[in-house]
Amino acid sequence: MITKADIEQAHDRIKPYIYHTPVMTSESMDDLTGATIFFKCENLQKIGAFKARGAMNAVLSLEPAVRALGVATHSSGNHAQALARAAKITGIRSYIVMPRTAPEIKKRGVVSFGGEIFECEPTLESRETTLQQVVAKTGASVVHPFNNDAVITGQGTAAKELFEDIPSLDIIVPPVGGGGLLSGTALATKYFSPHTIVIAGEPEGADDAYRSLQSGKIESSQSNSIADGLLTALGDKTFPIISEHVKEVITVSDQEIAESMRLLWENLKVIVEPSGAVPFAAILKSKEKFKGKKVGVIISGGNVDLARAFALFGIR
C-alpha cells in the first residue's frame, strides 16, 4: 500500500531534479465550461511531461548495486525520455524499447539523454518480448511505465503540488492510459484533499479504463487514438487503486481531443500534446458535471510531433 508518507518522501527525493510546474488559469476557458479551472502544466515539466517524476523516483529508489546495472523499459515516448534522463543524472545506462511508430520527437529525446533504443512493433506483445530480450542481455532493472509502485508514487507528486497551490478543489481531472498518473493522483487526493472527486479523461479509441470500471476486471486496449501516450491497458497495480478511488472515466473522440488541443494552444499559449488535452476535452464534453465547480486539470505532456500535428489540423 502506497502511503501518504511515501508520496511525501518521493516528493522530497525528486525535488532537486524536477520543476514545480505552474498552475495556469483562463477566463475564456472558465466562460466556455462554466467552471473555474486550474491547469497544472506538466507539459512544462522536465522532458515535457509528468513522467519525469515517476521515473526519477523509481531510479533513485533502486539499491546502488542494482542501479549500477542500468535500467530498461518499454514506452511510446514520455516515460522513455524520463527514464533515459534519470539514468543520465545518476550515471547509469538506459535501454529503451520503443514502438517503431513512436513520434520522432520522443525518440530524439531518448537519444539526447544517452538512451539506447530498441525498436519493436506497435503491440504490447512485441514491447514485452523485446524488453525481455534486452533485460536478458544487459541485466538491467525494468522500470515499468506505470505498473510500478515507485513510479505511481512519483506521479502522485503532481497532484500533491496542485493541492498545495490551489486548496479546496472540488474535482481533479487527469488523463488515463496505463493508470500511473491516475492512480498516483487518486492516492494523492485521498491523502492531501480527501473531499476532492477524481474523474479521468480517456480516448474513445483506447477506452479500456472505462470498460474496466464497468466490468470490474482489466480489459484490453484497442490502441486506436491520436493520443499516443494513452494507448496502454491498466496494470494489476493501477487498476485496484483506480477502482477504489476514481469516481468515473469520461471518454472523448479524436475530434474532441483535437479541438481541446486547439483551445489550449490559443487560450493558455502553451503547447499541449493530444494525451495532455484529453482531460479538458472530457470537461468540454460533460460540462454539466463540472458547472460551478472548482476544477484542477493535469495537462500531462507537451511533446508534440509537429508533422503529425500539422496533418491533424490540415496544415501543409
Side-chain angles (χ1 to χ4, degrees):
M1 181 62 182
I2 296 169
T3 66
K4 180 179 182 180
D6 289 332
I7 298 176
E8 291 171 334
Q9 290 165 10
H11 202 195
D12 289 340
R13 186 180 296 122
I14 67 177
K15 275 181 181 178
Y17 309 104
I18 64 165
Y19 291 137
H20 184 122
T21 50
V23 177
M24 300 183 69
T25 59
S26 166
E27 289 184 6
S28 58
M29 297 295 229
D30 290 351
D31 292 342
L32 188 61
T33 60
T36 303
I37 303 182
F38 300 88
F39 296 93
K40 175 66 168 170
C41 291
E42 287 294 291
N43 55 314
L44 302 179
Q45 185 55 264
K46 298 284 189 178
I47 68 92
F50 74 95
K51 295 280 191 177
R53 297 173 181 271
M56 197 73 240
N57 188 53
V59 171
L60 291 175
S61 298
L62 291 172
E63 292 294 329
V66 174
R67 186 193 307 159
L69 296 175
V71 288
T73 195
H74 65 76
S75 168
S76 63
N78 285 338
H79 177 68
Q81 294 180 86
L83 190 63
R85 174 180 175 268
K88 182 177 181 179
I89 288 172
T90 53
I92 62 175
R93 300 285 299 275
S94 61
Y95 308 96
I96 314 296
V97 175
M98 300 186 76
R100 58 176 175 75
T101 55
E104 287 301 320
I105 186 175
K106 297 181 180 180
K107 292 180 182 178
R108 291 195 297 270
V110 170
V111 172
S112 74
F113 293 118
E116 184 176 352
I117 295 177
F118 298 81
E119 289 198 349
C120 67
E121 292 303 306
T123 65
L124 181 60
E125 181 182 5
S126 180
R127 285 186 181 205
E128 292 180 342
T129 299
T130 306
L131 180 59
Q132 289 172 2
Q133 294 169 351
V134 170
V135 170
K137 179 180 178 181
T138 64
S141 295
V142 175
V143 179
H144 195 277
F146 53 86
N147 207 41
N148 175 296
D149 286 341
V151 169
I152 293 169
T153 305
Q155 314 307 26
T157 64
K160 176 179 179 289
E161 285 182 1
L162 179 55
F163 294 133
E164 290 170 349
D165 291 343
I166 312 293
S168 303
L169 291 174
D170 296 307
I171 305 171
I172 187 168
V173 191
V176 57
L181 177 61
L182 178 56
S183 54
T185 298
L187 290 174
T189 302
K190 172 186 177 182
Y191 297 133
F192 301 105
S193 187
H195 64 279
T196 302
I197 294 169
V198 183
I199 296 177
E202 184 177 42
E204 287 180 354
D207 66 344
D208 57 284
Y210 173 82
R211 290 183 288 107
S212 296
L213 288 185
Q214 303 301 310
S215 68
K217 60 185 179 69
I218 298 174
E219 301 287 350
S220 61
S221 174
Q222 306 100 310
S223 299
N224 181 25
S225 173
I226 60 172
D228 62 274
L230 304 179
L231 305 185
T232 48
L234 301 177
D236 60 2
K237 292 182 181 295
T238 60
F239 178 59
I241 298 170
I242 291 167
S243 296
E244 183 175 355
H245 299 294
V246 176
K247 181 179 180 181
E248 66 177 302
V249 176
I250 298 171
T251 61
V252 291
S253 68
D254 278 0
Q255 183 176 351
E256 289 166 334
I257 295 169
E259 175 63 10
S260 175
M261 288 174 67
R262 182 185 68 79
L263 289 168
L264 289 164
W265 290 3
E266 290 178 353
N267 291 280
L268 294 189
K269 312 304 180 188
V270 294
I271 298 174
V272 181
E273 64 184 85
S275 299
V278 167
F280 186 61
I283 293 172
L284 289 171
K285 182 174 184 177
S286 302
K287 293 180 183 179
E288 70 284 353
K289 296 181 187 293
F290 302 93
K291 186 176 180 180
K293 302 295 185 181
K294 192 175 176 182
V295 183
V297 171
I298 299 181
I299 299 178
S300 58
N303 292 313
V304 177
D305 186 315
L306 287 180
R308 291 187 181 185
F310 288 165
L312 180 64
F313 292 106
I315 301 172
R316 295 185 177 181

